[in-house]
């Protein structure tokens, strides 16, 4: 439901859903709120240490964004770093002005795409197997990143006794326990223990002075040019595809309406990303967006409403106030959380996101048969023949392969589109050939289906015999 339609009625409904959910399962909501911290903490800490963002501003504005998101959508949509901008900013040691300019450029473009309807049009014409491929690729990318950057450098005994492969193995075993006990607040236990180990472990405070002020940033034309050519252009397709289109699709899959509130549309998510950054970046806050990976992680660890995000946002906002006086201490604690524990959290979130690909041929959005109220009963779906199933599966698989090969969502997106339209073109050519031969295409399809059914029946009779 768009924001313009009955906003007060929608606000009452979302708030009621949040309150009812946290009352019925408080531990699950609290645990789910921590599901995206494995991505947030390392990037935010690194950006603070390079003085590319202001820690108080980031905590205050992303905390407020969490609260806004939880109340507006009533679903556990994350507020996470713009990863491509963060990677470039850390590598090139962006200044506050350059980092802010990168976030403002992406926010302005996403807002423009939302206002003009280009974002909604892109979502309509993008085939569902390609969207699924982006989601699966993002999930596998999270797993690969956690393995290579967090777990691979560890040994069985180091770098210190509180952060090694033994703790990672213990975290994995505890994760397996949650299969039989899904109500166990896994993320809360692991993260709380990680904070404890960080406090008693070796100091991780930076020798450099970390600013505790909230600056007012004034990027120059040079800052905008450098940010656009090095970071913003790489971030834009990632935001549009993974943080808006894929996140909206995943929310619709994980939280069908009813019983949940209506999943946010791509335009609503586009407006949200634009507002968050067009406000926060001027004050040195970290460029942020939503993301399908964070949503999958929070869902995996128990979150089922926006109350989990509201709680997380309130904690971040409170830490932002404390950061005025103790920025060094907060950064030291966050930087000291064992990578072994964060790595397992990220892998669990990645697997949760990647497994949505299994529904590409079963109950994907484009296969659902809706009733007169445009809602799905959870049962009726369109029938697919064997060729349709193969083509949809291959399109998704090729999208994933291209995304992982080039580490670029845009390349995966374009490759998946090319594969999808290649299959469509092949069918058109076959129809043209059949029409030239004087044989209607629908008869050939019916004939092939009859042959497949007869072959299947023959195989079943042989099995029974």
């Amino acid at each position: 439901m768009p924001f313009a339609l009955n906003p007060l009625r929608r606000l009452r409904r979302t708030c009621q859903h949040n309150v009812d959910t946290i009352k019925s399962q408080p531990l699950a909501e609290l645990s789910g709120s921590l599901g995206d911290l494995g991505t947030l903490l390392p990037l935010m800490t690194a950006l603070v240490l390079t003085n590319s963002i202001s820690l108080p501003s980031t905590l205050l504005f992303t905390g407020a964004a969490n609260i806004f998101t939880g109340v507006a959508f009533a679903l556990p949509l994350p507020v996470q770093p713009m990863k491509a901008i963060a990677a470039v900013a850390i590598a090139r040691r962006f200044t506050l002005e350059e980092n802010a300019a990168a976030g403002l450029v992406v926010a302005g473009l996403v807002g423009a795409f939302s206002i003009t309807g280009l974002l909604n049009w892109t979502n309509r014409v993008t085939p569902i197997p390609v969207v699924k491929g982006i989601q699966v690729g993002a999930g596998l990318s999270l797993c690969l990143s956690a393995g290579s950057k967090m777990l691979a450098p560890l040994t069985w005994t180091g770098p210190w006794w509180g952060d090694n492969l033994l703790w990672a193995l213990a975290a994995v075993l505890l994760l397996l326990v949650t299969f039989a006990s899904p109500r166990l607040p896994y993320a809360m236990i692991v993260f709380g223990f990680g904070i404890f180990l960080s406090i008693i472990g070796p100091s991780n405070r930076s020798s450099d002075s970390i600013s505790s002020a909230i600056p007012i940033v004034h990027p120059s034309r040079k800052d905008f040019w450098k940010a656009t050519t090095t970071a913003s252009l790489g971030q834009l397709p990632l935001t549009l595809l993974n943080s808006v289109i894929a996140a909206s699709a995943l929310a619709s899959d994980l939280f069908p309406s009813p019983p949940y509130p209506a999943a946010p549309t791509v335009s609503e998510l586009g407006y949200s990303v634009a507002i968050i950054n067009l406000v926060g970046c001027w004050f040195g806050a970290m460029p942020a967006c939503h993301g399908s990976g964070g949503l999958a992680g929070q869902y995996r660890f128990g979150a089922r409403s926006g109350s989990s995000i509201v709680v997380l946002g309130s904690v971040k906002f409170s830490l932002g106030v404390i950061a005025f006086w103790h920025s060094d201490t907060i950064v030291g604690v966050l930087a000291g959380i064992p990578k072994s524990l964060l790595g397992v959290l990220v892998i669990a979130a990645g697997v949760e996101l990647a497994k949505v690909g299994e529904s590409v041929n079963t109950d994907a959005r484009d296969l659902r048969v809706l009733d007169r109220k445009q809602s799905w009963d959870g049962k009726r779906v369109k029938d697919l023949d064997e060729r349709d199933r193969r083509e949809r599966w291959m399109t998704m698989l090729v999208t994933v392969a291209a995304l992982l090969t080039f580490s670029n969502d845009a390349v995966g997106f374009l490759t998946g589109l090319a594969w999808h339209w290649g299959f469509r073109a092949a069918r058109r050519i076959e129809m043209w050939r059949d029409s030239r031969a004087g044989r209607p295409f629908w008869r050939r399809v019916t004939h092939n289906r009859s042959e497949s059914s007869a072959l299947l029946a023959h195989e079943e009779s042989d099995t029974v015999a």
Side-chain angles (χ1 to χ4, degrees):
M1 179 188 300
F3 286 126
L5 298 178
N6 300 321
L8 293 179
R9 181 181 178 186
R10 172 170 179 162
L11 182 62
R12 287 195 298 268
R13 192 168 66 178
T14 57
C15 289
Q16 188 63 48
H17 175 71
N18 289 341
V19 172
D20 293 342
T21 304
I22 198 168
K23 280 183 177 180
S24 62
Q25 49 179 35
L27 287 180
E29 289 296 298
L30 293 176
S31 179
S33 68
L34 306 175
D36 190 40
L37 293 185
T39 301
L40 171 67
L41 294 180
L43 292 178
M44 183 180 71
T45 303
L47 288 169
V48 171
L49 293 176
T50 57
N51 289 315
S52 298
I53 61 173
S54 164
L55 179 62
S57 292
T58 295
L59 291 173
L60 288 172
F61 282 99
T62 60
N66 278 126
I67 296 172
F68 163 77
T69 301
V71 172
F73 300 120
L75 298 176
L77 285 165
V79 176
Q80 55 185 203
M82 290 188 178
K83 299 180 184 65
I85 290 180
V88 174
I90 294 168
R92 295 175 176 261
R93 300 186 72 86
F94 270 12
T95 63
L96 283 173
E97 290 76 14
E98 292 168 344
N99 199 56
L104 290 170
V105 169
V106 174
L109 291 174
V110 171
F113 289 161
S114 301
I115 292 173
T116 59
L118 284 175
L119 191 56
N120 197 34
W121 175 82
T122 302
N123 181 60
R124 288 200 311 270
V125 301
T126 302
I128 292 300
V130 176
V131 176
K132 292 284 186 183
I134 296 294
Q135 294 171 334
V136 174
L140 296 179
S141 296
L142 285 177
C143 296
L144 293 173
S145 177
S148 61
K149 297 179 180 179
M150 295 183 181
L151 299 181
L154 302 178
T155 65
W156 290 107
T157 58
W160 64 288
W161 67 266
D163 189 13
N164 52 53
L165 292 178
L166 291 175
W167 286 116
L169 180 60
V172 170
L173 293 176
L174 182 60
L175 181 63
L176 297 178
V177 172
T178 62
F179 294 166
S181 303
R183 291 184 175 274
L184 185 71
Y186 176 81
M188 188 160 43
I189 294 173
V190 172
F191 184 72
F193 188 66
I195 291 289
F196 171 75
L197 289 177
S198 177
I199 293 173
I200 67 173
S203 175
N204 285 279
R205 297 185 185 181
S206 171
S207 58
D208 299 329
S209 177
I210 298 173
S211 175
S212 60
I214 295 184
I216 298 179
V217 182
H218 299 284
S220 64
R221 292 183 179 179
K222 183 179 179 181
D223 295 326
F224 276 107
W225 175 253
K226 180 178 179 180
T228 301
T229 55
T230 58
S232 299
L233 292 180
Q235 178 64 50
L236 182 61
L238 183 62
T239 297
L240 293 176
L241 298 174
N242 183 47
S243 302
V244 177
I245 294 177
S248 176
L250 183 63
S252 177
D253 290 341
L254 296 180
F255 303 98
S257 175
Y260 298 99
T265 64
V266 292
S267 295
E268 290 173 350
L269 290 184
Y271 291 135
S272 178
V273 170
I275 292 172
I276 290 171
N277 292 281
L278 291 177
V279 175
C281 287
W282 292 109
F283 299 93
M286 175 184 65
C289 58
H290 305 299
S292 56
L295 174 59
Q298 285 158 174
Y299 181 89
R300 169 65 182 80
F301 297 123
R304 295 295 184 272
S305 76
S307 59
S308 59
I309 306 303
V310 172
V311 171
L312 176 63
S314 301
V315 173
K316 288 165 67 174
F317 195 89
S318 301
L319 288 176
V321 175
I322 298 173
F324 281 112
W325 298 277
H326 303 286
S327 288
D328 289 343
T329 302
I330 293 177
V331 171
V333 172
L334 296 180
I337 297 176
K339 299 296 187 294
S340 55
L341 303 182
L342 288 177
V344 175
L345 287 175
V346 173
I347 288 175
V351 171
E352 185 69 24
L353 177 57
K355 77 177 188 181
V356 303
E358 66 181 357
S359 65
V360 68
N361 286 329
T362 54
D363 60 351
R365 284 183 299 133
D366 60 336
L367 301 180
R368 297 174 181 176
V369 179
L370 306 180
D371 58 21
R372 294 181 179 178
K373 297 181 179 179
Q374 296 300 301
S375 60
W376 183 50
D377 61 6
K379 297 179 181 178
R380 291 180 295 171
V381 294
K382 300 176 182 177
D383 292 328
L384 295 175
D385 60 30
E386 188 61 30
R387 179 172 179 176
D388 288 330
R389 292 177 179 273
R390 286 199 308 267
E391 290 181 355
R392 289 169 66 89
W393 176 257
M394 280 299 300
T395 299
M396 182 183 73
L397 188 62
V398 167
T399 303
V400 174
L403 188 154
L404 294 179
T405 300
F406 295 96
S407 299
N408 190 306
D409 286 45
V411 174
F413 174 74
L414 294 175
T415 305
L417 281 182
W419 220 261
H420 171 79
W421 290 112
F423 283 135
R424 290 292 182 91
R427 292 204 178 201
R428 292 290 181 91
I429 293 173
E430 290 178 8
M431 292 174 64
W432 177 77
R433 287 176 178 173
D434 288 337
S435 64
R436 289 286 299 264
R439 183 183 182 189
F441 180 72
W442 64 268
R443 288 187 179 179
R444 191 183 66 82
V445 173
T446 305
H447 179 67
N448 289 344
R449 286 182 178 177
S450 300
E451 288 182 347
S452 300
S453 300
L455 179 61
L456 180 62
H458 178 69
E459 290 177 350
E460 289 180 351
S461 62
D462 289 345
T463 301
V464 173

